[in-house]
Amino acid sequence: MDKKILEQLKYDFHSHLGKTRSGEENSARQMVEELEAFGIKKVGICSLSGNGVRPQNDLVYAAMQEFPGVVYGYADIDPKAPDAMDEIHRTLGDMGMSGVKFMAWKHGYAVENCPQLGDVIDEIGKYDVFIQIHGGASPLCTPFVWIEHAKRRPDMKFVFTHICGREFGDSCIEAIRHMDNFWVETSANMEADILRKAAKVLGSKRMLFGSDWPYKPTNIEIEKLYELGLSQMEYDDIFYRNAEMMWGK
């Protein structure tokens, strides 16, 4: 890999920990060491691989404790779970996690038909953290209801992972064009036209680099962004400055 690419300061805003969907084991140390090989100094993670929200959040918290200042944890919250509010306070309050990840298809609900969601979002808002949303890849993960929630909460920060994939990438960029409380994260989206449109329409200050470790090749996730031909200042925004802002560091 080009030395310039390795030397670029990089914070990974979106990765995972825990057994993969194919059953492969991993560890926090393995994650940190493998990402460090590509110049990634800090990483934000959630765990979406097991049964039950609480043990997955405990796994993330253990990684935060093992690598303080390197691993930033995101809470996995199921809005329809009876203990959703308690888990918000446990993860964001007691554990000090930096954000919340929602993945509707994992938890088996449609955002369009989840009456608990509004109250859950409002409770998260008390902690001044961002909400990360898996958009695309499933009929349960259409982005547009989330956009309506964000419009009603202009002081909260929202992020679409994967720029909502090839299914909704173009339309989600257009839908959040004028919403300064909505960002996009770049991992797993290999559509050059969508990546270029995000850079042109939203600009570097509303894009965040992620690798989606361990699911995607880290080198490709990095190198694809250098194909956009942006300035050094714009790459600094995408690779680390915006993550610093989101994490409050």
Side-chain angles (χ1 to χ4, degrees):
M1 183 179 289
D2 187 281
K3 184 178 179 181
K4 177 184 176 183
I5 292 176
L6 286 174
E7 289 178 348
Q8 166 76 56
L9 180 60
K10 294 179 286 291
Y11 296 165
D12 181 351
F13 190 72
H14 176 208
S15 278
H16 303 281
L17 195 61
K19 189 179 292 186
T20 67
R21 289 186 290 270
S22 59
E24 297 172 347
E25 299 279 0
N26 54 61
S27 68
R29 180 165 298 279
Q30 176 188 351
M31 173 187 66
V32 168
E33 290 178 353
E34 289 188 9
L35 294 178
E36 171 63 24
F38 293 96
I40 296 171
K41 305 297 186 183
K42 300 184 180 186
V43 57
I45 62 169
C46 62
S47 181
L48 301 170
S49 60
N51 295 320
V53 164
R54 191 179 181 98
Q56 298 311 301
N57 289 333
D58 288 344
L59 182 68
V60 169
Y61 183 57
M64 292 167 57
Q65 292 181 304
E66 185 177 359
F67 294 98
V70 175
V71 173
Y72 292 81
Y74 309 154
D76 179 22
I77 298 295
D78 178 355
K80 60 180 175 38
D83 63 346
M85 296 298 190
D86 291 339
E87 193 64 6
I88 289 169
H89 297 306
R90 189 176 81 96
T91 54
L92 301 183
D94 299 342
M95 294 178 171
M97 292 191 181
S98 300
V100 173
K101 174 70 176 282
F102 284 99
M103 184 176 277
W105 67 262
K106 178 197 172 185
H107 292 300
Y109 65 91
V111 178
E112 291 87 345
N113 189 26
C114 184
Q116 304 95 325
L117 186 56
D119 289 342
V120 167
I121 293 173
D122 288 337
E123 201 66 21
I124 293 166
K126 296 176 182 178
Y127 288 92
D128 192 28
V129 299
F130 65 88
I131 287 177
Q132 188 184 93
I133 303 137
H134 180 96
S138 165
L140 299 178
C141 295
T142 58
F144 305 108
V145 176
W146 282 108
I147 291 170
E148 294 306 311
H149 280 295
K151 285 179 180 177
R152 294 193 290 272
R153 298 166 178 87
D155 294 331
M156 291 185 67
K157 298 185 286 289
F158 296 80
V159 181
F160 280 137
T161 63
H162 317 310
I163 320 180
C164 291
R166 62 180 178 271
E167 299 91 347
F168 300 106
D170 186 81
S171 56
C172 95
I173 291 169
E174 288 295 339
I176 65 173
R177 176 190 286 260
H178 300 297
M179 296 178 64
D180 59 8
N181 66 330
F182 231 122
W183 286 255
V184 294
E185 179 271 333
T186 61
S187 72
N189 195 315
M190 305 309 294
E191 306 296 325
D193 58 331
I194 292 174
L195 291 166
R196 291 192 185 101
K197 181 167 184 174
K200 180 178 179 180
V201 172
L202 303 179
S204 63
K205 293 192 179 301
R206 292 175 61 193
M207 297 174 67
L208 296 131
F209 160 70
S211 76
D212 204 21
W213 189 95
Y215 295 108
K216 301 296 182 293
T218 304
N219 62 316
I220 293 175
E221 292 298 333
I222 295 170
E223 289 175 12
K224 74 183 185 185
L225 295 179
Y226 285 104
E227 295 298 317
L228 299 179
L230 305 178
S231 70
Q232 185 61 54
M233 185 173 294
E234 289 171 316
Y235 281 123
D236 288 346
D237 288 338
I238 295 169
F239 277 115
Y240 75 93
R241 285 194 184 124
N242 296 336
E244 284 183 336
M245 179 273 297
M246 286 287 184
W247 291 334
K249 307 300 178 186

